[in-house]
Amino acid sequence: MTVNSFYVQNMLRKYKKQITSAQHIARETGSARNLHFSYDDDQLSDMDQRVAEARRQGLVERVAREVYENLLFSGSDNPIVEEIKAQLEDDLGFAVLFRNPFPNLSLQIYKETDLGPIKVSSDEKEDIMNKLWAISLDKVNATML
């Protein structure tokens, strides 16, 4: 689950107002206990960095999902898609073909051999899909600013 920056900032703003109000009330009533809640600038910048990194990671995953699906279902000629497929084939040691015969049938993966395309087993298919997802994430993460 990702949290939008607006919601986090809004929550922190409200929390700071509550703390300020509590400190003001404590001073006005002459309370014996001294309420002192504050964030250091370092803590705020760390939170901002974590929020920014979480937003970036979410964006990377969405773009990687789109590239992943383009490679599997539409066979896009996008240069990034081509690089990912080439890296996958280098990692596997053989060329792969992705086929989606009809909208109602599941994706089929074939490995190209000298005898022609051979359908991969379900275990191999799962491994190929996992490698493809990892490569897609790495490639998109490396190319995103």
Side-chain angles (χ1 to χ4, degrees):
M1 179 175 110
T2 61
V3 177
N4 290 338
S5 176
F6 168 77
Y7 295 115
V8 172
Q9 290 175 355
N10 195 27
M11 178 201 56
L12 290 174
R13 221 177 281 119
K14 286 181 180 180
Y15 184 66
K16 186 172 181 170
K17 285 180 183 178
Q18 290 173 347
I19 290 172
T20 304
S21 297
Q23 288 174 338
H24 181 71
I25 291 170
R27 274 193 302 266
E28 291 297 321
T29 60
S31 175
R33 60 183 185 169
N34 185 11
L35 296 175
H36 181 71
F37 299 105
S38 66
Y39 280 117
D40 294 340
D41 288 338
D42 292 339
Q43 287 175 322
L44 284 175
S45 66
D46 288 343
M47 280 193 284
D48 289 342
Q49 288 175 355
R50 286 193 300 257
V51 168
E53 183 59 32
R55 288 179 63 206
R56 183 183 185 285
Q57 186 62 32
L59 181 61
V60 165
E61 287 179 8
R62 283 195 304 265
V63 171
R65 172 69 57 191
E66 187 174 323
V67 168
Y68 177 81
E69 290 174 355
N70 280 340
L71 196 145
L72 293 177
F73 300 111
S74 67
S76 174
D77 293 335
N78 182 319
I80 298 295
V81 172
E82 293 296 326
E83 288 177 24
I84 291 170
K85 187 172 180 186
Q87 185 175 349
L88 176 68
E89 290 174 352
D90 286 345
D91 289 353
L92 294 173
F94 55 85
V96 292
L97 295 171
F98 299 101
R99 296 287 182 247
N100 191 15
F102 299 105
N104 298 334
L105 296 178
S106 66
L107 176 73
Q108 297 174 351
I109 301 177
Y110 296 90
K111 60 179 164 182
E112 292 185 30
T113 65
D114 294 337
L115 303 173
I118 298 174
K119 189 174 179 180
V120 298
S121 69
S122 61
D123 290 338
E124 284 180 312
K125 180 180 176 181
E126 187 176 332
D127 289 342
I128 291 170
M129 299 293 278
N130 289 336
K131 283 182 185 180
L132 180 62
W133 176 245
I135 292 169
S136 298
L137 271 177
D138 289 343
K139 185 65 73 174
V140 170
N141 194 25
T143 57
M144 295 282 286
L145 296 178

